[in-house]
């Protein structure tokens, strides 16, 4: 009888699959339940009821406040606090934004907008998690799982920043040229630190080339125009895969060869396409499509 | 024929496998610059002759020499710029301190360029967030597990882990260490990741 009950309970548990919200951590690791994706843990509402102690509650910073960047409409020196919007993001949403920015940056041929607010928030999160982990009990299984998640987040963040640095170094004359001309309503594609890095890189390379070779060349050849001749431009005509997040209508596709004419297409939500980057560049910036 | 030496410089770099830095061909570069100087001087005298004597049949020769000068400059700048890109890759692979063998292959100005690059990269990484910033030259591959099994290839000495315990790294000793501590040493070649 008892044996039958046990068997029934075990079968019930395994049929349920992943843990229900509010279920204490303790039950997750006994029986054959699937471990849900770690991200969801961060937003489970009733973790505070965990019988394993308040260490787990302290491990979960629940909400993050990040300020959206606003455009400077007037410079009358007024306190702009009232104008700036505050967007409340849960940690799960923040990580998802980071992953989206990461994938977009990886597959786009040119340098995209700088998402420094996401970077800052993620760094803050990582510091917070590190602090909490240090206070938690040693040898607890949760500690190693959270640490693993921290490693993964750190990898995504590092990869994103590395990708941006590589693009900056590859196309530095064109990027710096674009920064010089003031544009209306467009956000800068370089954060202030990246701008400093790019300028130093340019100065470094120019000084090197001048001292080693150009100084010794005939006077009319001493200036090499890096912008036009030496460093190639980003290839905006390369093809990219994308998934449509918001329905778009009337996208004008320009012809590649002279025989074709331009035509207009509609992008359905959820559909996936292979298209030239130049056509959909503004949609990537606005977040309407996701590069895959 | 003109520009032979410049082409040789470019070919030398083209032959070297991706990522490897051959020794700096100072001699070759000097010969290219000398050739450019000679061509320029010949062109100068010819231009003067054309202007004063009206010998317009020299113009094609002048144009030809000018093209050779441009080609020489293009090859020289390509050679130097490509070497800079390879040196930059070394910073990401080996870290701040380059092995001596590689340093001998670099000219003095290249070493200076490398130091400047190191410094501006370090400034950027420090400014990334928090107090010490984020070292983005770590975490090159997605993490598979927290701890990895490593075997020591050379004698390194004492190595301290997070919770204070220190490990003696002797040749051929095997340890089970946290991944983020070992990554730097694995890249330097002191430790070897044991899979299996």
């Amino acid at each position: 009888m008892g044996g039958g009950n046990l068997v029934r309970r075990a079968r019930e548990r395994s049929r349920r699959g992943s843990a229900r919200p509010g279920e204490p951590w303790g039950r997750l690791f006994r029986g054959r339940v699937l471990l849900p994706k770690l991200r969801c843990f961060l937003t489970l509402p009733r973790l505070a009821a965990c019988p394993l102690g308040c260490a787990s509650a302290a491990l979960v910073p629940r909400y993050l406040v990040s300020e959206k960047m606003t455009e400077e409409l007037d410079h009358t020196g007024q306190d702009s606090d009232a104008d700036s919007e505050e967007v409340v993001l849960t940690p799960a949403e923040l990580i998802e934004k980071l992953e989206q920015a990461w994938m977009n940056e990886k597959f786009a041929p040119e340098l995209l907008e700088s998402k420094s607010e996401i970077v800052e928030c993620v760094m803050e999160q990582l510091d917070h998690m590190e602090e909490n982990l240090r206070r938690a009990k040693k040898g607890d299984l949760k500690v190693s799982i959270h640490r693993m998640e921290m490693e993964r987040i750190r990898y995504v963040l590092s990869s994103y920043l590395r990708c941006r640095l590589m693009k900056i170094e590859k196309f530095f004359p064109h990027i710096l040229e674009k920064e010089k001309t003031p544009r209306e309503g467009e956000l800068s594609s370089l954060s202030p630190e990246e701008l400093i890095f790019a300028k130093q890189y340019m100065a470094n390379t120019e000084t090197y080339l001048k001292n080693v070779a150009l100084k010794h060349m005939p006077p009319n050849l001493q200036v090499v125009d890096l912008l036009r001749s030496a460093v190639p431009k980003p290839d905006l005509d390369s093809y990219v895969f994308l998934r449509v997040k918001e329905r778009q209508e009337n996208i004008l596709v320009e012809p590649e060869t002279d025989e074709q004419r331009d035509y207009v297409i509609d992008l359905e939500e959820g559909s996936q396409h292979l298209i030239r980057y130049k056509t959909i560049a503004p949609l990537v910036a606005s977040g309407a499509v996701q590069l895959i | 024929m003109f520009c032979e030496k410049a082409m040789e410089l470019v070919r030398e770099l083209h032959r070297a496998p991706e990522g490897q830095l051959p020794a700096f061909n100072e001699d070759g570069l000097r010969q290219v610059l000398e050739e450019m100087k000679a061509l320029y001087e010949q062109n100068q005298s010819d231009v003067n002759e054309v202007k004063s004597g009206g010998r317009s049949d020299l113009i094609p020769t002048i144009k030809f020499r000018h093209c050779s000068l441009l080609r020489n400059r293009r090859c020289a700048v390509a050679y130097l710029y490509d070497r800079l890109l390879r040196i930059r890759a070394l910073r990401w692979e080996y870290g701040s301190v380059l092995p001596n063998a590689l340093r001998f292959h670099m000219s003095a100005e290249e070493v200076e360029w490398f130091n400047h690059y190191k410094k501006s990269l370090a400034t950027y990484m420090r400014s990334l967030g928090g107090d010490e910033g984020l070292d983005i030259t770590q975490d090159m591959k997605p993490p598979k597990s927290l701890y990895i099994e490593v075997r020591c290839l050379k004698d390194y000495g004492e190595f301290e882990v997070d919770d204070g315990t220190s490990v003696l790294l002797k040749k051929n000793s095997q340890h089970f260490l946290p991944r983020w501590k070992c990554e730097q040493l694995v890249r330097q070649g002191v430790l070897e990741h044991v899979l299996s």
Side-chain angles (χ1 to χ4, degrees):
Chain A
M1 286 173 304
N5 260 349
L6 271 176
V7 167
R8 200 173 343 122
R9 247 184 283 147
R11 229 183 282 147
E12 211 176 52
R13 221 181 290 144
S14 65
R15 207 174 356 146
R16 267 208 311 260
S18 44
R20 285 193 296 232
E23 210 176 84
W25 280 75
R27 243 185 251 153
L28 285 178
F29 303 107
R30 268 181 259 135
R32 293 163 44 211
V33 292
L34 300 167
L35 204 61
K37 244 165 77 163
L38 199 65
R39 269 216 303 272
C40 312
F41 283 171
L42 294 179
T43 54
L44 282 179
R46 291 196 269 143
L47 218 53
C50 174
L52 287 184
C54 53
S56 50
L59 282 172
V60 178
R62 290 229 249 123
Y63 290 111
L64 264 182
V65 172
S66 81
E67 281 186 27
K68 243 168 93 163
M69 284 169 76
T70 58
E71 291 155 29
E72 239 103 56
L73 294 168
D74 56 29
H75 306 271
T76 56
Q78 279 176 358
D79 190 24
S80 59
D81 268 23
D83 295 334
S84 65
E85 294 170 38
E86 293 208 341
V87 178
V88 175
L89 281 179
T90 62
E93 284 174 13
L94 173 69
I95 302 297
E96 194 163 321
K97 273 185 149 339
L98 173 67
E99 284 185 1
Q100 282 172 5
W102 176 54
M103 293 221 290
N104 276 342
E105 195 72 59
K106 258 190 133 160
F107 296 118
E110 61 165 0
L111 189 69
L112 297 175
E113 225 173 80
S114 137
K115 307 262 188 230
S116 42
E117 70 270 18
I118 298 187
V119 172
E120 269 170 36
C121 286
V122 173
M123 286 294 299
E124 240 178 70
Q125 268 289 70
L126 283 178
D127 284 338
H128 208 118
M129 281 177 92
E130 177 81 49
E131 229 181 83
N132 283 334
L133 283 179
R134 230 176 288 156
R135 280 191 271 136
K137 286 202 292 238
K138 266 290 171 60
D140 213 353
L141 186 60
K142 293 201 297 290
V143 172
S144 48
I145 296 185
H146 272 292
R147 225 182 251 291
M148 198 62 209
E149 166 151 63
M150 269 178 58
E151 294 277 306
R152 286 200 201 105
I153 296 175
R154 202 180 291 134
Y155 167 73
V156 172
L157 186 62
S158 291
S159 184
Y160 171 68
L161 293 168
R162 268 199 298 269
C163 188
R164 286 182 65 86
L165 266 195
M166 237 165 40
K167 281 196 207 167
I168 292 176
E169 288 171 5
K170 206 163 159 195
F171 304 123
F172 64 96
H174 309 280
I175 293 178
L176 285 174
E177 186 69 32
K178 222 162 69 156
E179 285 299 301
K180 273 196 249 176
T181 58
R183 289 151 311 156
E184 299 303 319
E186 250 183 62
L187 293 168
S188 163
S189 50
L190 288 180
S191 73
E193 297 90 16
E194 286 173 346
L195 184 62
I196 297 176
F197 177 80
K199 286 196 177 144
Q200 283 177 347
Y201 186 80
M202 177 146 181
N204 202 10
T205 313
E206 274 182 346
T207 322
Y208 170 78
L209 286 177
K210 198 151 54 146
N211 287 340
V212 174
L214 296 174
K215 206 164 52 172
H216 306 287
M217 288 194 187
N220 63 337
L221 295 174
Q222 274 188 3
V223 178
V224 173
D225 193 354
L226 288 174
L227 185 62
R228 259 165 280 280
S229 38
V231 179
K233 272 174 75 130
D235 181 17
L236 295 176
D237 278 331
S238 56
Y239 280 79
V240 289
F241 280 97
L242 59 89
R243 184 187 300 128
V244 180
K245 292 204 298 208
E246 293 164 14
R247 189 189 146 77
Q248 299 292 320
E249 297 188 351
N250 297 331
I251 307 289
L252 181 68
V253 178
E254 279 163 35
E256 287 173 77
T257 62
D258 286 331
E259 291 106 43
Q260 295 172 350
R261 323 259 299 282
D262 20 342
Y263 55 96
V264 164
I265 57 172
D266 288 337
L267 297 176
E268 295 292 326
E269 189 177 327
S271 60
Q272 291 172 284
H273 302 268
L274 175 64
I275 199 171
R276 247 178 302 145
Y277 176 75
K278 201 157 51 172
T279 325
I280 46 104
L283 299 177
V284 176
S286 70
V289 305
Q290 166 80 43
L291 297 183
I292 49 176
Chain B
M1 203 56 260
F2 301 136
C3 307
E4 277 292 334
K5 201 64 210 170
M7 282 304 296
E8 228 182 82
L9 282 180
V10 174
R11 236 180 262 132
E12 179 192 322
L13 265 193
H14 188 68
R15 263 189 233 124
E18 181 70 42
Q20 253 195 41
L21 188 74
F24 186 71
N25 196 345
E26 182 138 9
D27 225 19
L29 190 65
R30 197 171 37 84
Q31 286 178 15
V32 170
L33 291 172
E34 275 173 12
E35 187 183 328
M36 286 181 77
K37 197 155 150 231
L39 281 173
Y40 182 71
E41 276 163 11
Q42 286 173 4
N43 252 4
Q44 279 288 75
S45 62
D46 275 354
V47 164
N48 285 337
E49 246 182 80
V50 167
K51 274 210 238 174
S52 56
R55 286 194 58 190
S56 51
D57 58 336
L58 287 175
I59 293 187
T61 322
I62 295 175
K63 283 202 184 142
F64 176 71
R65 282 202 210 104
H66 188 68
C67 284
S68 312
L69 281 169
L70 288 175
R71 189 174 177 70
N72 266 332
R73 181 180 74 166
R74 182 178 174 179
C75 293
V77 173
Y79 175 73
L80 294 169
Y81 190 64
D82 196 66
R83 282 183 68 88
L84 283 189
L85 292 180
R86 290 184 195 219
I87 294 175
R88 176 230 176 248
L90 290 180
R91 164 66 182 92
W92 286 85
E93 204 182 306
Y94 288 105
S96 295
V97 180
L98 289 182
N100 278 326
L102 283 173
R103 229 179 310 180
F104 287 141
H105 285 190
M106 295 175 20
S107 72
E109 291 92 359
E110 285 180 337
V111 173
E112 204 184 305
W113 184 90
F114 181 75
N115 289 336
H116 282 301
Y117 179 73
K118 244 185 353 185
K119 222 180 338 180
S120 68
L121 186 63
T123 320
Y124 173 72
M125 291 200 292
R126 217 181 355 248
S127 72
L128 275 176
D131 311 308
E132 320 115 17
L134 180 69
D135 186 3
I136 50 183
T137 59
Q138 307 279 46
D139 300 316
M140 288 298 210
K141 290 208 259 288
K144 291 277 192 224
S145 61
L146 277 181
Y147 284 76
I148 52 171
E149 180 87 22
V150 285
R151 185 185 299 127
C152 199
L153 294 175
K154 321 185 202 163
D155 269 333
Y156 189 73
E158 292 278 318
F159 187 59
E160 193 169 319
V161 194
D162 271 338
D163 46 5
T165 57
S166 68
V167 177
L168 178 62
L169 294 177
K170 256 175 78 97
K171 187 160 178 188
N172 284 332
S173 64
Q174 270 185 256
H175 306 276
F176 193 57
L177 296 173
R179 201 187 50 87
W180 65 90
K181 283 262 165 198
C182 314
E183 200 178 331
Q184 179 81 314
L185 292 175
V186 168
R187 281 225 297 271
Q188 280 175 7
V190 173
L191 294 177
E192 179 196 16
H193 189 139
V194 174
L195 307 149
S196 90

